[in-house]
Amino acid sequence: MTSIGANSGMVDWNLAVATATRLVRPGPEVSRDEARAVVAELRRHAKSSEEHVRGFTRMGTEETHDTPVLVVDRPGWVRANVAGFREILKPLLEKMQERRGGGAGNAVLGAVGGKVTGVELGMLLSFLSSRVLGQYETFAPATRELPAGANGGGRLLLVAPNIVHVERELDVEPHDFRLWVTLHEETHRTQFTAVPWLRDHLEGEIQSFLAETDVDPMTVLERVREAAQSLAGGRPEAEEDDGGRSLVELVQTPAQREVLGRLTAVMSLLEGHADFVMDGVGPAVVPSVGEIREKFQQRRAKGASRLDMALRKLLGLDAKLRQYRDGERFVRAVVEECGMDGFNRVWTSPNTLPTKSEIAKPADWIARVHRKPEA
């Protein structure tokens, strides 16, 4: 197995997986029988969530769901995400490789740099692997261990040890919490399987963002190192040194800022829609949804520690928290004004997606998309 290929010399991906797998924290203590029961229940909930989400959103049919549901542990989540990162970042890494140039000296430096970056990326992934409950992998390439959808990728991951950890930490009813989580993630799967153009549109926007990257490769790698050093305790004040900027914000060009605005809007829509659906379906099928929601929101808002807050800032995860909140407000406002069918016009084409300003002002989106033609 080759660690550094022609398109990935900037990062030793295999070393990233090995490092993250070695450093990942153990999950909660469960017996073998309990672990099997959790996996089986999550699979059942994922299946039942399909019908609940389709009925509430009026999106998709049974035929649109061709993506697998995988219940994984923390190392499994790491392997899946490394595969996705490697795929989506390939154009950027090729560009950085070309900019660095050839030559024997650069090749040696590249190999060393790739290993260093692989270790540091592995450190970050080990940190994140204990925090993700579930994830719809939009750009996942299929592998023997991790199958994906037949039409170009996609799989739903449910991280069993993290779900068990959080349900215990919050002291909520386990069966209700597991269904509540799967409702959110199933909504993401429905979004991409029921809206055929959405995946290609999102990938195009991401590639446009990466194509506009005009920065020395070492600057990008330095951002990764700073995040890794924060994780190791070396720079817990990183967010203060950088003026509160995230990794993404530090490498932006003016053109990237435009793309990022569009990406922020669509991600806010997707996350807010999932939260809205989760809460909308919840009362009918999750008896303790009110308690779960209140406790989970408190956990989501406060974070785990100062170090955790520093990393959230540096990695841009605080922006993701805002996306949940702002996107959910947008969806709720539009549904209240236009009904579910009126909201679903958002999925008509890229032109009907809300802009970043419309996420903050739903009435502007309603006026633009639902305006009556002049007589």
Side-chain angles (χ1 to χ4, degrees), residues 226-274:
E226 287 175 357
Q229 288 164 2
S230 291
L231 178 59
R235 288 193 61 203
E237 274 74 48
E239 82 281 11
E240 293 176 3
D241 294 345
D242 292 330
R245 294 178 294 171
S246 70
L247 277 167
V248 170
E249 293 169 320
L250 284 165
V251 299
Q252 279 186 65
T253 64
Q256 280 181 308
R257 280 192 288 273
E258 292 186 16
V259 179
L260 187 62
R262 296 195 298 270
L263 277 171
T264 298
V266 71
M267 295 310 296
S268 297
L269 171 69
L270 298 179
E271 295 294 358
H273 183 234

mmCIF file of all heavy atoms in Angstrom, residues 226-274:
data_model
loop_
_atom_site.group_PDB
_atom_site.id
_atom_site.type_symbol
_atom_site.label_atom_id
_atom_site.label_comp_id
_atom_site.label_asym_id
_atom_site.label_seq_id
_atom_site.Cartn_x
_atom_site.Cartn_y
_atom_site.Cartn_z
ATOM 1 N N GLU A 226 -1.396 24.353 13.762
ATOM 2 C CA GLU A 226 -1.886 25.149 14.890
ATOM 3 C C GLU A 226 -3.071 24.461 15.559
ATOM 4 O O GLU A 226 -3.188 24.439 16.792
ATOM 5 C CB GLU A 226 -2.270 26.555 14.420
ATOM 6 C CG GLU A 226 -1.061 27.420 14.093
ATOM 7 C CD GLU A 226 -1.450 28.762 13.509
ATOM 8 O OE1 GLU A 226 -2.661 28.976 13.308
ATOM 9 O OE2 GLU A 226 -0.559 29.570 13.254
ATOM 10 N N ALA A 227 -3.952 23.905 14.727
ATOM 11 C CA ALA A 227 -5.090 23.191 15.299
ATOM 12 C C ALA A 227 -4.623 21.968 16.076
ATOM 13 O O ALA A 227 -5.110 21.674 17.171
ATOM 14 C CB ALA A 227 -6.059 22.787 14.185
ATOM 15 N N ALA A 228 -3.659 21.240 15.509
ATOM 16 C CA ALA A 228 -3.144 20.057 16.180
ATOM 17 C C ALA A 228 -2.434 20.425 17.480
ATOM 18 O O ALA A 228 -2.557 19.741 18.496
ATOM 19 C CB ALA A 228 -2.195 19.295 15.259
ATOM 20 N N GLN A 229 -1.686 21.531 17.459
ATOM 21 C CA GLN A 229 -0.993 21.972 18.672
ATOM 22 C C GLN A 229 -1.992 22.391 19.742
ATOM 23 O O GLN A 229 -1.762 22.175 20.936
ATOM 24 C CB GLN A 229 -0.049 23.127 18.333
ATOM 25 C CG GLN A 229 1.172 22.672 17.549
ATOM 26 C CD GLN A 229 1.908 23.821 16.880
ATOM 27 O OE1 GLN A 229 1.520 24.984 17.023
ATOM 28 N NE2 GLN A 229 2.953 23.499 16.138
ATOM 29 N N SER A 230 -3.102 22.988 19.335
ATOM 30 C CA SER A 230 -4.152 23.316 20.300
ATOM 31 C C SER A 230 -4.672 22.051 20.955
ATOM 32 O O SER A 230 -4.888 21.985 22.166
ATOM 33 C CB SER A 230 -5.304 24.051 19.607
ATOM 34 O OG SER A 230 -4.907 25.330 19.194
ATOM 35 N N LEU A 231 -4.871 21.025 20.138
ATOM 36 C CA LEU A 231 -5.368 19.751 20.649
ATOM 37 C C LEU A 231 -4.386 19.149 21.645
ATOM 38 O O LEU A 231 -4.778 18.588 22.662
ATOM 39 C CB LEU A 231 -5.604 18.791 19.486
ATOM 40 C CG LEU A 231 -6.083 17.377 19.836
ATOM 41 C CD1 LEU A 231 -7.392 17.443 20.598
ATOM 42 C CD2 LEU A 231 -6.228 16.558 18.574
ATOM 43 N N ALA A 232 -3.087 19.298 21.362
ATOM 44 C CA ALA A 232 -2.067 18.732 22.232
ATOM 45 C C ALA A 232 -1.810 19.596 23.456
ATOM 46 O O ALA A 232 -1.041 19.219 24.335
ATOM 47 C CB ALA A 232 -0.770 18.562 21.445
ATOM 48 N N GLY A 233 -2.430 20.771 23.513
ATOM 49 C CA GLY A 233 -2.259 21.648 24.657
ATOM 50 C C GLY A 233 -1.171 22.680 24.467
ATOM 51 O O GLY A 233 -0.863 23.449 25.370
ATOM 52 N N GLY A 234 -0.575 22.711 23.261
ATOM 53 C CA GLY A 234 0.527 23.629 23.020
ATOM 54 C C GLY A 234 0.087 25.054 22.778
ATOM 55 O O GLY A 234 0.793 25.998 23.113
ATOM 56 N N ARG A 235 -1.098 25.248 22.175
ATOM 57 C CA ARG A 235 -1.561 26.602 21.876
ATOM 58 C C ARG A 235 -3.044 26.730 22.167
ATOM 59 O O ARG A 235 -3.855 26.902 21.265
ATOM 60 C CB ARG A 235 -1.296 26.945 20.402
ATOM 61 C CG ARG A 235 0.163 27.179 20.079
ATOM 62 C CD ARG A 235 0.297 27.804 18.706
ATOM 63 N NE ARG A 235 -0.372 29.089 18.672
ATOM 64 C CZ ARG A 235 -0.806 29.668 17.552
ATOM 65 N NH1 ARG A 235 -0.660 29.082 16.403
ATOM 66 N NH2 ARG A 235 -1.389 30.841 17.586
ATOM 67 N N PRO A 236 -3.439 26.633 23.417
ATOM 68 C CA PRO A 236 -4.878 26.717 23.731
ATOM 69 C C PRO A 236 -5.470 28.076 23.440
ATOM 70 O O PRO A 236 -6.674 28.220 23.415
ATOM 71 C CB PRO A 236 -4.924 26.402 25.233
ATOM 72 C CG PRO A 236 -3.558 26.726 25.737
ATOM 73 C CD PRO A 236 -2.623 26.418 24.608
ATOM 74 N N GLU A 237 -4.630 29.092 23.224
ATOM 75 C CA GLU A 237 -5.146 30.428 22.928
ATOM 76 C C GLU A 237 -5.122 30.719 21.433
ATOM 77 O O GLU A 237 -5.123 31.867 21.012
ATOM 78 C CB GLU A 237 -4.333 31.498 23.652
ATOM 79 C CG GLU A 237 -4.821 31.753 25.071
ATOM 80 C CD GLU A 237 -4.434 30.607 25.989
ATOM 81 O OE1 GLU A 237 -3.286 30.190 25.979
ATOM 82 O OE2 GLU A 237 -5.317 30.115 26.714
ATOM 83 N N ALA A 238 -5.105 29.704 20.596
ATOM 84 C CA ALA A 238 -4.942 29.920 19.154
ATOM 85 C C ALA A 238 -5.991 30.851 18.587
ATOM 86 O O ALA A 238 -5.724 31.675 17.731
ATOM 87 C CB ALA A 238 -5.007 28.570 18.424
ATOM 88 N N GLU A 239 -7.228 30.739 19.103
ATOM 89 C CA GLU A 239 -8.283 31.568 18.516
ATOM 90 C C GLU A 239 -8.076 33.039 18.835
ATOM 91 O O GLU A 239 -8.531 33.901 18.106
ATOM 92 C CB GLU A 239 -9.656 31.087 18.995
ATOM 93 C CG GLU A 239 -10.100 31.589 20.362
ATOM 94 C CD GLU A 239 -9.448 30.829 21.498
ATOM 95 O OE1 GLU A 239 -8.509 30.055 21.236
ATOM 96 O OE2 GLU A 239 -9.882 31.001 22.652
ATOM 97 N N GLU A 240 -7.385 33.344 19.930
ATOM 98 C CA GLU A 240 -7.138 34.739 20.255
ATOM 99 C C GLU A 240 -6.005 35.286 19.387
ATOM 100 O O GLU A 240 -6.070 36.394 18.889
ATOM 101 C CB GLU A 240 -6.773 34.866 21.739
ATOM 102 C CG GLU A 240 -7.928 34.521 22.652
ATOM 103 C CD GLU A 240 -7.537 34.544 24.116
ATOM 104 O OE1 GLU A 240 -6.383 34.882 24.413
ATOM 105 O OE2 GLU A 240 -8.400 34.225 24.942
ATOM 106 N N ASP A 241 -4.964 34.473 19.162
ATOM 107 C CA ASP A 241 -3.852 34.912 18.321
ATOM 108 C C ASP A 241 -4.310 35.200 16.904
ATOM 109 O O ASP A 241 -3.767 36.054 16.215
ATOM 110 C CB ASP A 241 -2.762 33.830 18.275
ATOM 111 C CG ASP A 241 -2.107 33.633 19.638
ATOM 112 O OD1 ASP A 241 -2.285 34.518 20.518
ATOM 113 O OD2 ASP A 241 -1.441 32.604 19.810
ATOM 114 N N ASP A 242 -5.302 34.464 16.441
ATOM 115 C CA ASP A 242 -5.747 34.591 15.057
ATOM 116 C C ASP A 242 -6.954 35.511 14.917
ATOM 117 O O ASP A 242 -7.609 35.518 13.874
ATOM 118 C CB ASP A 242 -6.113 33.204 14.500
ATOM 119 C CG ASP A 242 -4.884 32.314 14.360
ATOM 120 O OD1 ASP A 242 -3.784 32.835 14.131
ATOM 121 O OD2 ASP A 242 -5.050 31.106 14.504
ATOM 122 N N GLY A 243 -7.276 36.254 15.951
ATOM 123 C CA GLY A 243 -8.394 37.173 15.854
ATOM 124 C C GLY A 243 -9.731 36.486 15.708
ATOM 125 O O GLY A 243 -10.673 37.054 15.174
ATOM 126 N N GLY A 244 -9.821 35.218 16.150
ATOM 127 C CA GLY A 244 -11.098 34.519 16.083
ATOM 128 C C GLY A 244 -11.398 33.935 14.717
ATOM 129 O O GLY A 244 -12.494 33.499 14.465
ATOM 130 N N ARG A 245 -10.401 33.890 13.818
ATOM 131 C CA ARG A 245 -10.651 33.367 12.479
ATOM 132 C C ARG A 245 -10.500 31.857 12.451
ATOM 133 O O ARG A 245 -9.671 31.290 13.147
ATOM 134 C CB ARG A 245 -9.678 34.005 11.486
ATOM 135 C CG ARG A 245 -9.888 35.499 11.290
ATOM 136 C CD ARG A 245 -8.867 36.081 10.342
ATOM 137 N NE ARG A 245 -7.525 36.016 10.900
ATOM 138 C CZ ARG A 245 -6.425 36.307 10.211
ATOM 139 N NH1 ARG A 245 -6.514 36.660 8.953
ATOM 140 N NH2 ARG A 245 -5.239 36.231 10.783
ATOM 141 N N SER A 246 -11.288 31.227 11.595
ATOM 142 C CA SER A 246 -11.204 29.778 11.455
ATOM 143 C C SER A 246 -10.228 29.431 10.350
ATOM 144 O O SER A 246 -9.734 30.290 9.618
ATOM 145 C CB SER A 246 -12.584 29.200 11.108
ATOM 146 O OG SER A 246 -12.946 29.560 9.791
ATOM 147 N N LEU A 247 -9.957 28.146 10.211
ATOM 148 C CA LEU A 247 -9.093 27.674 9.138
ATOM 149 C C LEU A 247 -9.592 28.137 7.775
ATOM 150 O O LEU A 247 -8.832 28.595 6.941
ATOM 151 C CB LEU A 247 -9.044 26.135 9.162
ATOM 152 C CG LEU A 247 -8.077 25.476 10.140
ATOM 153 C CD1 LEU A 247 -8.402 24.007 10.254
ATOM 154 C CD2 LEU A 247 -6.646 25.676 9.683
ATOM 155 N N VAL A 248 -10.896 28.010 7.550
ATOM 156 C CA VAL A 248 -11.456 28.386 6.255
ATOM 157 C C VAL A 248 -11.265 29.874 5.993
ATOM 158 O O VAL A 248 -10.850 30.294 4.916
ATOM 159 C CB VAL A 248 -12.953 28.005 6.192
ATOM 160 C CG1 VAL A 248 -13.609 28.599 4.952
ATOM 161 C CG2 VAL A 248 -13.106 26.500 6.191
ATOM 162 N N GLU A 249 -11.532 30.684 6.998
ATOM 163 C CA GLU A 249 -11.444 32.133 6.814
ATOM 164 C C GLU A 249 -10.020 32.595 6.556
ATOM 165 O O GLU A 249 -9.792 33.581 5.872
ATOM 166 C CB GLU A 249 -12.003 32.842 8.046
ATOM 167 C CG GLU A 249 -13.493 32.650 8.222
ATOM 168 C CD GLU A 249 -13.982 33.130 9.580
ATOM 169 O OE1 GLU A 249 -13.291 32.913 10.582
ATOM 170 O OE2 GLU A 249 -15.071 33.718 9.612
ATOM 171 N N LEU A 250 -9.044 31.864 7.063
ATOM 172 C CA LEU A 250 -7.657 32.292 6.919
ATOM 173 C C LEU A 250 -7.124 32.104 5.512
ATOM 174 O O LEU A 250 -6.114 32.688 5.152
ATOM 175 C CB LEU A 250 -6.785 31.517 7.914
ATOM 176 C CG LEU A 250 -6.906 31.993 9.358
ATOM 177 C CD1 LEU A 250 -6.311 30.965 10.302
ATOM 178 C CD2 LEU A 250 -6.212 33.329 9.540
ATOM 179 N N VAL A 251 -7.752 31.276 4.686
ATOM 180 C CA VAL A 251 -7.235 31.027 3.344
ATOM 181 C C VAL A 251 -8.143 31.606 2.262
ATOM 182 O O VAL A 251 -8.042 31.257 1.108
ATOM 183 C CB VAL A 251 -7.033 29.517 3.089
ATOM 184 C CG1 VAL A 251 -6.021 28.949 4.071
ATOM 185 C CG2 VAL A 251 -8.347 28.750 3.185
ATOM 186 N N GLN A 252 -9.018 32.504 2.632
ATOM 187 C CA GLN A 252 -9.964 33.037 1.652
ATOM 188 C C GLN A 252 -9.362 34.107 0.757
ATOM 189 O O GLN A 252 -8.632 34.976 1.212
ATOM 190 C CB GLN A 252 -11.158 33.659 2.374
ATOM 191 C CG GLN A 252 -12.178 32.659 2.824
ATOM 192 C CD GLN A 252 -13.363 33.397 3.391
ATOM 193 O OE1 GLN A 252 -14.060 34.105 2.679
ATOM 194 N NE2 GLN A 252 -13.580 33.240 4.677
ATOM 195 N N THR A 253 -9.713 34.044 -0.518
ATOM 196 C CA THR A 253 -9.528 35.134 -1.459
ATOM 197 C C THR A 253 -10.887 35.809 -1.622
ATOM 198 O O THR A 253 -11.907 35.273 -1.188
ATOM 199 C CB THR A 253 -9.049 34.603 -2.816
ATOM 200 O OG1 THR A 253 -10.083 33.779 -3.376
ATOM 201 C CG2 THR A 253 -7.767 33.769 -2.659
ATOM 202 N N PRO A 254 -10.945 36.983 -2.256
ATOM 203 C CA PRO A 254 -12.261 37.617 -2.481
ATOM 204 C C PRO A 254 -13.239 36.699 -3.205
ATOM 205 O O PRO A 254 -14.422 36.653 -2.860
ATOM 206 C CB PRO A 254 -11.909 38.851 -3.316
ATOM 207 C CG PRO A 254 -10.521 39.197 -2.880
ATOM 208 C CD PRO A 254 -9.838 37.869 -2.637
ATOM 209 N N ALA A 255 -12.751 35.970 -4.220
ATOM 210 C CA ALA A 255 -13.647 35.065 -4.949
ATOM 211 C C ALA A 255 -14.143 33.954 -4.034
ATOM 212 O O ALA A 255 -15.297 33.522 -4.124
ATOM 213 C CB ALA A 255 -12.928 34.476 -6.158
ATOM 214 N N GLN A 256 -13.249 33.482 -3.146
ATOM 215 C CA GLN A 256 -13.662 32.434 -2.219
ATOM 216 C C GLN A 256 -14.739 32.916 -1.264
ATOM 217 O O GLN A 256 -15.622 32.148 -0.879
ATOM 218 C CB GLN A 256 -12.458 31.951 -1.414
ATOM 219 C CG GLN A 256 -11.559 30.973 -2.159
ATOM 220 C CD GLN A 256 -10.413 30.537 -1.279
ATOM 221 O OE1 GLN A 256 -9.707 31.371 -0.728
ATOM 222 N NE2 GLN A 256 -10.237 29.245 -1.143
ATOM 223 N N ARG A 257 -14.670 34.179 -0.880
ATOM 224 C CA ARG A 257 -15.670 34.695 0.049
ATOM 225 C C ARG A 257 -17.060 34.638 -0.561
ATOM 226 O O ARG A 257 -18.045 34.379 0.132
ATOM 227 C CB ARG A 257 -15.309 36.118 0.481
ATOM 228 C CG ARG A 257 -14.238 36.170 1.568
ATOM 229 C CD ARG A 257 -14.115 37.551 2.186
ATOM 230 N NE ARG A 257 -13.501 38.509 1.278
ATOM 231 C CZ ARG A 257 -12.187 38.691 1.166
ATOM 232 N NH1 ARG A 257 -11.348 37.976 1.894
ATOM 233 N NH2 ARG A 257 -11.700 39.594 0.339
ATOM 234 N N GLU A 258 -17.151 34.884 -1.865
ATOM 235 C CA GLU A 258 -18.450 34.782 -2.537
ATOM 236 C C GLU A 258 -18.958 33.341 -2.515
ATOM 237 O O GLU A 258 -20.134 33.087 -2.225
ATOM 238 C CB GLU A 258 -18.327 35.277 -3.979
ATOM 239 C CG GLU A 258 -18.059 36.767 -4.107
ATOM 240 C CD GLU A 258 -18.083 37.218 -5.552
ATOM 241 O OE1 GLU A 258 -18.596 36.453 -6.404
ATOM 242 O OE2 GLU A 258 -17.587 38.315 -5.844
ATOM 243 N N VAL A 259 -18.052 32.409 -2.851
ATOM 244 C CA VAL A 259 -18.449 31.000 -2.852
ATOM 245 C C VAL A 259 -18.820 30.558 -1.445
ATOM 246 O O VAL A 259 -19.810 29.853 -1.233
ATOM 247 C CB VAL A 259 -17.317 30.116 -3.415
ATOM 248 C CG1 VAL A 259 -17.732 28.646 -3.381
ATOM 249 C CG2 VAL A 259 -16.962 30.532 -4.835
ATOM 250 N N LEU A 260 -18.020 30.998 -0.470
ATOM 251 C CA LEU A 260 -18.281 30.599 0.908
ATOM 252 C C LEU A 260 -19.631 31.112 1.389
ATOM 253 O O LEU A 260 -20.323 30.436 2.151
ATOM 254 C CB LEU A 260 -17.167 31.099 1.828
ATOM 255 C CG LEU A 260 -17.239 30.591 3.272
ATOM 256 C CD1 LEU A 260 -17.110 29.077 3.327
ATOM 257 C CD2 LEU A 260 -16.168 31.236 4.131
ATOM 258 N N GLY A 261 -20.018 32.296 0.945
ATOM 259 C CA GLY A 261 -21.338 32.805 1.300
ATOM 260 C C GLY A 261 -22.441 31.891 0.805
ATOM 261 O O GLY A 261 -23.409 31.612 1.528
ATOM 262 N N ARG A 262 -22.300 31.408 -0.435
ATOM 263 C CA ARG A 262 -23.308 30.489 -0.988
ATOM 264 C C ARG A 262 -23.274 29.145 -0.251
ATOM 265 O O ARG A 262 -24.319 28.553 0.034
ATOM 266 C CB ARG A 262 -23.079 30.290 -2.482
ATOM 267 C CG ARG A 262 -23.251 31.555 -3.313
ATOM 268 C CD ARG A 262 -23.368 31.248 -4.793
ATOM 269 N NE ARG A 262 -22.186 30.602 -5.346
ATOM 270 C CZ ARG A 262 -21.143 31.241 -5.872
ATOM 271 N NH1 ARG A 262 -21.133 32.572 -5.899
ATOM 272 N NH2 ARG A 262 -20.125 30.575 -6.366
ATOM 273 N N LEU A 263 -22.071 28.658 0.043
ATOM 274 C CA LEU A 263 -21.955 27.392 0.762
ATOM 275 C C LEU A 263 -22.550 27.505 2.167
ATOM 276 O O LEU A 263 -23.226 26.583 2.637
ATOM 277 C CB LEU A 263 -20.484 26.983 0.869
ATOM 278 C CG LEU A 263 -19.892 26.257 -0.341
ATOM 279 C CD1 LEU A 263 -18.383 26.119 -0.188
ATOM 280 C CD2 LEU A 263 -20.530 24.879 -0.514
ATOM 281 N N THR A 264 -22.287 28.621 2.824
ATOM 282 C CA THR A 264 -22.840 28.831 4.165
ATOM 283 C C THR A 264 -24.357 28.799 4.129
ATOM 284 O O THR A 264 -25.017 28.217 5.000
ATOM 285 C CB THR A 264 -22.355 30.171 4.737
ATOM 286 O OG1 THR A 264 -20.931 30.151 4.849
ATOM 287 C CG2 THR A 264 -22.968 30.437 6.108
ATOM 288 N N ALA A 265 -24.935 29.418 3.104
ATOM 289 C CA ALA A 265 -26.392 29.446 2.987
ATOM 290 C C ALA A 265 -26.966 28.053 2.791
ATOM 291 O O ALA A 265 -27.944 27.664 3.457
ATOM 292 C CB ALA A 265 -26.808 30.359 1.837
ATOM 293 N N VAL A 266 -26.370 27.271 1.880
ATOM 294 C CA VAL A 266 -26.933 25.951 1.610
ATOM 295 C C VAL A 266 -26.705 25.018 2.798
ATOM 296 O O VAL A 266 -27.588 24.208 3.137
ATOM 297 C CB VAL A 266 -26.369 25.350 0.305
ATOM 298 C CG1 VAL A 266 -24.915 24.945 0.438
ATOM 299 C CG2 VAL A 266 -27.201 24.143 -0.132
ATOM 300 N N MET A 267 -25.576 25.133 3.487
ATOM 301 C CA MET A 267 -25.356 24.287 4.650
ATOM 302 C C MET A 267 -26.290 24.672 5.796
ATOM 303 O O MET A 267 -26.775 23.809 6.536
ATOM 304 C CB MET A 267 -23.894 24.372 5.100
ATOM 305 C CG MET A 267 -22.896 23.813 4.092
ATOM 306 S SD MET A 267 -23.307 22.153 3.492
ATOM 307 C CE MET A 267 -23.184 21.215 5.017
ATOM 308 N N SER A 268 -26.556 25.968 5.938
ATOM 309 C CA SER A 268 -27.526 26.403 6.945
ATOM 310 C C SER A 268 -28.908 25.833 6.634
ATOM 311 O O SER A 268 -29.641 25.396 7.538
ATOM 312 C CB SER A 268 -27.592 27.935 7.001
ATOM 313 O OG SER A 268 -26.360 28.482 7.403
ATOM 314 N N LEU A 269 -29.279 25.846 5.364
ATOM 315 C CA LEU A 269 -30.558 25.275 4.946
ATOM 316 C C LEU A 269 -30.626 23.795 5.293
ATOM 317 O O LEU A 269 -31.610 23.331 5.890
ATOM 318 C CB LEU A 269 -30.744 25.473 3.442
ATOM 319 C CG LEU A 269 -31.944 24.735 2.824
ATOM 320 C CD1 LEU A 269 -33.254 25.356 3.297
ATOM 321 C CD2 LEU A 269 -31.848 24.769 1.292
ATOM 322 N N LEU A 270 -29.595 23.037 4.926
ATOM 323 C CA LEU A 270 -29.612 21.592 5.133
ATOM 324 C C LEU A 270 -29.642 21.245 6.620
ATOM 325 O O LEU A 270 -30.414 20.370 7.048
ATOM 326 C CB LEU A 270 -28.394 20.953 4.469
ATOM 327 C CG LEU A 270 -28.291 21.108 2.946
ATOM 328 C CD1 LEU A 270 -27.019 20.455 2.419
ATOM 329 C CD2 LEU A 270 -29.517 20.526 2.247
ATOM 330 N N GLU A 271 -28.817 21.915 7.415
ATOM 331 C CA GLU A 271 -28.778 21.611 8.848
ATOM 332 C C GLU A 271 -30.058 22.082 9.547
ATOM 333 O O GLU A 271 -30.606 21.385 10.402
ATOM 334 C CB GLU A 271 -27.556 22.265 9.493
ATOM 335 C CG GLU A 271 -26.216 21.734 9.003
ATOM 336 C CD GLU A 271 -25.962 20.288 9.389
ATOM 337 O OE1 GLU A 271 -26.812 19.687 10.085
ATOM 338 O OE2 GLU A 271 -24.933 19.738 8.988
ATOM 339 N N GLY A 272 -30.517 23.277 9.190
ATOM 340 C CA GLY A 272 -31.736 23.788 9.805
ATOM 341 C C GLY A 272 -32.952 22.950 9.444
ATOM 342 O O GLY A 272 -33.829 22.710 10.282
ATOM 343 N N HIS A 273 -33.015 22.496 8.192
ATOM 344 C CA HIS A 273 -34.111 21.640 7.748
ATOM 345 C C HIS A 273 -34.115 20.335 8.542
ATOM 346 O O HIS A 273 -35.174 19.853 8.974
ATOM 347 C CB HIS A 273 -33.960 21.362 6.249
ATOM 348 C CG HIS A 273 -35.071 20.557 5.659
ATOM 349 N ND1 HIS A 273 -34.843 19.396 4.953
ATOM 350 C CD2 HIS A 273 -36.419 20.731 5.663
ATOM 351 C CE1 HIS A 273 -36.001 18.897 4.540
ATOM 352 N NE2 HIS A 273 -36.972 19.692 4.956
ATOM 353 N N ALA A 274 -32.914 19.763 8.767
ATOM 354 C CA ALA A 274 -32.840 18.512 9.527
ATOM 355 C C ALA A 274 -33.309 18.713 10.960
ATOM 356 O O ALA A 274 -34.028 17.869 11.512
ATOM 357 C CB ALA A 274 -31.408 17.968 9.501
#
